[in-house]
Amino acid sequence: MGQLIAVAVITVLAVISPGADFAMTVRNSYLYGRAAGVLAAVGISLGVLVHVTYTMLGVGLLVSRTPALFTAMKLIGAAYLVYIGYKTFVTKSQVDVDLSDGAGMSKAGALRTGFLTNALNPKTMLFVLSTYTQVVSADTPVLQQVGYGLFMSFAHLAWFGTAAVLFSNSALRTRLLRRQGVLNKVIGTVLVGLGMALALTPAMA
């Protein structure tokens, strides 16, 4: 149960923390409409699974063959959570969104931009890696690890799909971005606390 709670909390906070995927979703929704934003959200969720796949394979090898290196990666992952928490806390209140218009966007284009934004996003890569190194041990069943990855993907889809619906309305977009500063402080504080707690906690069974 402790593992599930840790994955859920870390995932939710990381997903709603503003980044390139958030800015891209806002841009697509604002410029090209709700459908383009939702398809971008689908692409983002699929991009997460790319990182989940290679992370599961790599973490599994570390756990089984080089426990000391896995422990080192666990500590690095915890340090990364502290780092992104700090960066989120001190970031400016609004995300920069490039709203320069183009020639339009097809459904395939919207899906592709979402997928590439996350599949090539180092922030997502480090988030998945740091989360798995905190909650995976030699006794963690493969199906449970797959479940973690599917939850991460679904959380991205739910959040960015919701963002697409909201930010396709310009009035709502303006109101929500004005309140991003307070949200950043809360997210940053919790992530720093989680990272420090996990660094001091033995690997979960």
Side-chain angles (χ1 to χ4, degrees), residues 51 54-55 80 118-119 121-130:
H51 299 291
Y54 68 70
T55 297
Y80 175 70
N118 242 11
N121 189 349
K123 176 185 174 183
T124 305
M125 175 191 71
L126 291 171
F127 149 65
V128 173
L129 179 60
S130 62

Side-chain angles (χ1 to χ4, degrees), residues 29-148:
S29 303
Y30 189 78
L31 289 179
Y32 306 116
R34 185 166 298 175
V38 171
L39 284 170
V42 173
I44 288 171
S45 68
L46 294 176
V48 173
L49 295 178
V50 173
H51 299 291
V52 168
T53 300
Y54 68 70
T55 297
M56 279 184 58
L57 295 175
V59 169
L61 288 174
L62 289 178
V63 170
S64 62
R65 299 185 181 180
T66 52
L69 182 56
F70 172 73
T71 299
M73 290 298 296
K74 173 182 168 66
L75 293 175
I76 292 172
Y80 175 70
L81 291 177
V82 173
Y83 171 75
I84 61 172
Y86 169 76
K87 293 292 287 183
T88 301
F89 186 89
V90 301
T91 193
K92 56 186 177 180
S93 60
Q94 293 191 12
V95 178
D96 290 327
V97 181
D98 179 12
L99 292 177
S100 56
D101 203 349
M105 180 172 290
S106 66
K107 292 181 178 180
L111 185 67
R112 182 174 59 252
T113 55
F115 177 79
L116 292 178
T117 296
N118 242 11
L120 302 177
N121 189 349
K123 176 185 174 183
T124 305
M125 175 191 71
L126 291 171
F127 149 65
V128 173
L129 179 60
S130 62
T131 302
Y132 267 82
T133 53
Q134 302 312 306
V135 300
V136 172
S137 70
D139 300 325
T140 305
V142 173
L143 286 179
Q144 186 172 337
Q145 296 181 45
V146 172
Y148 293 154

Side-chain angles (χ1 to χ4, degrees), residues 30-31 40 47 64 79 149 156 159 172 186 192 202:
Y30 189 78
L31 289 179
S64 62
H156 279 77
W159 171 250
L172 281 175
V186 174
V192 168

